[in-house]
Amino acid sequence: MGVVRLASSTSASSMVAIVAVLGLVLNLAVVCNGGITSTFVRTIKYSADMPLDSDVFQVPPGHNAPQQVHITQGDHQGNAVIVSWITADEPGYSGVIYWSADSKNQTAVGVVTTYTFYNYTSGYIHHCTIGNLSFNTTYYYVIGIGNTERQFWFTTPPEVGPDVPYTFGLIGDLGQTFDSNRTLTHYELNPLKGQTVLYLGDLSYANDYPYHDNVRWDTWGRFTERSAAYQPWIWSAGNHEIDFAPELGETIPFKPYTHRYYVPYNASGSTAPFWYSIKRASAYIIVLASYSAYGPSTPQYQWLETELPKVNRSETPWLIVIMHCPWYNSYYSHYMEGEGMRVTFEPWFVKYKVDIVFNGHVHAYERSERVSNVAYNVVNANCTPVKDQSAPVYVTVGDGGNLEGLSTVMTEPQPDYSLFREASFGHGIFDIKNRTHAYFSWHRNQDGYAVEADSAWLFNRHYYPVDDSKSIRA
Ligand SMILES: *[C@@H]1O[C@H](CO)[C@@H](O)[C@H](O)[C@H]1NC(C)=O
Ligand SMILES: *[C@@H]1O[C@H](CO)[C@@H](O)[C@H](O)[C@H]1NC(C)=O
Ligand SMILES: *[C@@H]1O[C@H](CO)[C@@H](O)[C@H](O)[C@H]1NC(C)=O
Ligand SMILES: *[C@@H]1O[C@H](CO)[C@@H](O)[C@H](O)[C@H]1NC(C)=O
Ligand SMILES: *[C@@H]1O[C@H](CO)[C@@H](O)[C@H](O)[C@H]1NC(C)=O
Ligand SMILES: *[C@@H]1O[C@H](CO)[C@@H](O)[C@H](O)[C@H]1NC(C)=O
Ligand SMILES: *[C@@H]1O[C@H](CO)[C@@H](O)[C@H](O)[C@H]1NC(C)=O
Ligand SMILES: *[C@@H]1O[C@H](CO)[C@@H](O)[C@H](O)[C@H]1NC(C)=O
Ligand SMILES: [Fe+2]
């Protein structure tokens, strides 16, 4: 207890002026009962939303030009893409023209939808699935008509297989502040080059505005287009997507979210867009819903019960779960909120040897050891989490930078299972190398783009179930 040592990372503040004065900022860390509680100190805890006239919110020029363009995986295997965008003035055209270096132009036509929220009326929201794409291939696509055509591109993942390297970005609770913009910029300029974002819930934070001002859903869509139009963002829903507002006459939960963000839930046999799965390269990704019913007999429970046995680890060695609310969280913020779902699903995670779980919700970063807490049965006293080599690593990356600020207060002492925690804005990278090894890193916004404030090698639970807790902090 109380041992002070230098953490392995030396971080340079992104505030160049301060760096020039101080030189390198040494990052002290305190080792408590558990792992490391980083003592890195940020100067500002809160940051304001970017004003409506910010550069990142600019409406593209031209009458009815497509805006808020974003893509996500469109099927279970990874050779379809859902392209979504909004036209503000009139329905326009829901078609996508797309081609690769080896194929001639093809066209797919999607659907258009709208919604109202209190006194807000959405633009025309288009969703078009383009399928039968070749793997590992760059496609160009064009949306809009006449003078307002806009062109983008994306690269499909390699065909699913056990040794296909692939790099995922982890972003959660992004919002639309100046810090959010820094997080997205750091993700884009990270030399580890994420190929797909696993989004950990809480998107626009529009509901923090009076009347849930849905204009802030539109600004968020324009802000994130610069990444989400070029690489898929795999969506999971957070509490800020619920938008349940009976005082405004809005009683359909998730109304803005489900109209704006389509996901391929149907392809994995799910009956609702809040829980589903995809395969991508060597990963099997299960998206769970912290804000949908999960108890026995519920649709989500039944789906997960039949889903987990379907995962073929010989084909997709890396079993990743994403959901908004963490089960293992040693911050005051949202403390124990995840307990109900943990009690319900944790035995399955251990049985099926989930490799890693990514969460948002808590506006901070935390990484756990492989730990489980499945022995407790109310009458025995076995209620302490124990090290468990069949259990996942739990990582909270809820630090995208939204207007609610950071969760800085932590429970003390740091629990044994908590290996590293710090309340700073940033993003994560999960870099799968092959069937046995993956490298996780966390990048705080104050550092240079290449700096890893925390990192760990993960050994695959199916192919290489060796204790990886000591491999930590490469
Ligand atoms: C394919 O579509 C794009 C966008 O509309 C257009 O610029 C291009 O000329 C088309 N190519 C062919 C061969 O038709
Ligand atoms: C919605 O109602 C609020 C409160 O009356 C008002 O401030 C706002 O301007 C209205 N917005 C629209 C789009 O009418
Ligand atoms: C893929 O091709 C098949 C056969 O032509 C077609 O039935 C199916 O709709 C296509 N899928 C997509 C998503 O375009
Ligand atoms: C993907 O294509 C690139 C060339 O474009 C090639 O170098 C790479 O090996 C391919 N990856 C897979 C997994 O097929
Ligand atoms: C957001 O970040 C981008 C890229 O760094 C920058 O060009 C832009 O000016 C920033 N906008 C705001 C409002 O901070
Ligand atoms: C998707 O939904 C349709 C309509 O409800 C259903 O017929 C189909 O079986 C579902 N599953 C897939 C994989 O398309
Ligand atoms: C699992 O995947 C492997 C590799 O693709 C394949 O050979 C095997 O048949 C699959 N097993 C099942 C039960 O589908
Ligand atoms: C898998 O990747 C790790 C880390 O890059 C490397 O050390 C190991 O040799 C690789 N395994 C194989 C079989 O290539
Ligand atoms: Fe949240």
Side-chain angles (χ1 to χ4, degrees):
M1 273 192 82
V3 180
V4 177
R5 73 169 197 213
L6 285 177
S8 66
S9 74
T10 302
S11 61
S13 169
S14 65
M15 297 159 75
V16 178
I18 291 178
V19 172
V21 175
L22 297 179
L24 290 174
V25 179
L26 290 178
N27 174 21
L28 285 172
V30 182
V31 180
C32 301
N33 297 36
I36 293 167
T37 296
S38 166
T39 57
F40 181 90
V41 177
R42 296 178 71 254
T43 45
I44 303 166
K45 186 181 166 193
Y46 292 95
S47 116
D49 270 0
M50 294 180 281
L52 291 173
D53 62 357
S54 296
D55 51 3
V56 294
F57 297 152
Q58 287 304 299
V59 176
H63 172 69
N64 208 38
Q67 55 168 282
Q68 307 179 45
V69 182
H70 52 93
I71 62 171
T72 196
Q73 184 161 319
D75 65 354
H76 206 232
Q77 305 288 331
N79 60 349
V81 166
I82 302 173
V83 182
S84 303
W85 70 96
I86 293 182
T87 50
D89 309 311
E90 49 183 288
Y93 175 52
S94 298
V96 176
I97 302 168
Y98 59 101
W99 67 91
S100 72
D102 305 326
S103 75
K104 55 183 186 353
N105 281 8
Q106 290 176 277
T107 302
V109 182
V111 296
V112 61
T113 183
T114 61
Y115 73 92
T116 59
F117 194 95
Y118 186 51
N119 62 357
Y120 168 92
T121 302
S122 76
Y124 299 90
I125 307 171
H126 304 262
H127 301 283
C128 179
T129 302
I130 58 183
N132 298 315
L133 305 172
S134 300
F135 287 109
N136 197 23
T137 302
T138 296
Y139 283 87
Y140 298 88
Y141 67 99
V142 164
I143 51 181
I145 36 178
N147 294 329
T148 62
E149 279 190 352
R150 296 184 68 203
Q151 184 177 320
F152 304 87
W153 55 267
F154 60 82
T155 302
T156 52
E159 189 168 5
V160 168
D163 284 305
V164 185
Y166 205 74
T167 309
F168 293 97
L170 288 319
I171 300 177
D173 305 71
L174 184 59
Q176 45 191 300
T177 71
F178 293 93
D179 281 317
S180 318
N181 196 34
R182 283 181 200 109
T183 301
L184 187 55
T185 302
H186 272 247
Y187 172 62
E188 293 171 305
L189 298 180
N190 189 325
L192 295 178
K193 288 205 180 314
Q195 296 168 287
T196 290
V197 169
L198 304 181
Y199 193 82
L200 307 173
D202 283 359
L203 283 62
S204 73
Y205 288 74
N207 72 316
D208 279 349
Y209 282 80
Y211 316 103
H212 297 221
D213 187 0
N214 274 227
V215 166
R216 282 286 174 177
W217 273 106
D218 291 312
T219 53
W220 198 80
R222 295 197 289 272
F223 161 50
T224 50
E225 179 189 278
R226 73 183 203 235
S227 172
Y230 298 92
Q231 61 172 248
W233 286 36
I234 307 304
W235 302 107
S236 62
N239 51 305
H240 285 272
E241 278 65 72
I242 301 172
D243 280 312
F244 175 70
E247 73 282 11
L248 303 177
E250 292 298 342
T251 54
I252 301 171
F254 301 103
K255 196 196 219 182
Y257 174 70
T258 52
H259 281 82
R260 290 166 182 272
Y261 293 91
Y262 274 21
V263 299
Y265 66 95
N266 187 304
S268 56
S270 166
T271 48
F274 311 110
W275 60 90
Y276 62 99
S277 70
I278 58 165
K279 298 181 197 175
R280 200 162 178 90
S282 46
Y284 200 104
I285 294 152
I286 293 181
V287 177
L288 292 183
S290 299
Y291 305 96
S292 301
Y294 51 75
S297 306
T298 61
Q300 180 171 208
Y301 183 102
Q302 288 187 15
W303 176 82
L304 187 60
E305 189 174 31
T306 55
E307 175 70 6
L308 283 165
K310 288 182 194 163
V311 181
N312 181 348
R313 302 292 278 274
S314 306
E315 185 192 36
T316 50
W318 294 95
L319 178 52
I320 301 170
V321 175
I322 69 171
M323 64 189 151
H324 189 57
C325 183
W327 297 353
Y328 287 94
N329 159 39
S330 72
Y331 289 82
Y332 267 40
S333 169
H334 307 303
Y335 190 59
M336 289 184 76
E337 266 183 37
E339 281 296 279
M341 197 194 241
R342 183 187 66 73
V343 169
T344 309
F345 288 154
E346 190 179 25
W348 292 348
F349 280 29
V350 173
K351 178 177 179 190
Y352 292 100
K353 297 185 167 57
V354 172
D355 287 294
I356 191 162
V357 177
F358 292 110
N359 307 108
H361 203 32
V362 177
H363 300 163
Y365 169 69
E366 183 163 27
R367 176 171 58 83
S368 84
E369 253 188 290
R370 296 194 181 279
V371 70
S372 71
N373 191 1
V374 293
Y376 183 53
N377 69 1
V378 178
V379 291
N380 66 22
N382 300 335
C383 56
T384 307
V386 293
K387 285 191 187 198
D388 185 340
Q389 288 305 313
S390 295
V393 166
Y394 293 89
V395 181
T396 298
V397 193
D399 53 352
N402 65 72
L403 78 174
E404 293 178 354
L406 289 165
S407 306
T408 53
V409 187
M410 306 175 190
T411 61
E412 302 292 353
Q414 184 170 13
D416 280 342
Y417 68 75
S418 171
L419 286 178
F420 190 101
R421 56 183 189 173
E422 177 180 323
S424 291
F425 295 129
H427 73 275
I429 295 281
F430 190 66
D431 191 8
I432 298 174
K433 305 290 190 187
N434 53 36
R435 69 180 67 190
T436 54
H437 285 65
Y439 188 72
F440 172 77
S441 51
W442 176 67
H443 304 262
R444 72 164 82 80
N445 289 355
Q446 279 67 38
D447 292 336
Y449 299 121
V451 175
E452 296 164 2
D454 182 38
S455 61
W457 279 103
L458 276 92
F459 301 155
N460 185 265
R461 289 303 94 185
H462 177 74
Y463 278 110
Y464 192 42
V466 170
D467 185 349
D468 50 10
S469 60
K470 299 295 178 287
S471 71
I472 253 111
R473 299 184 70 76

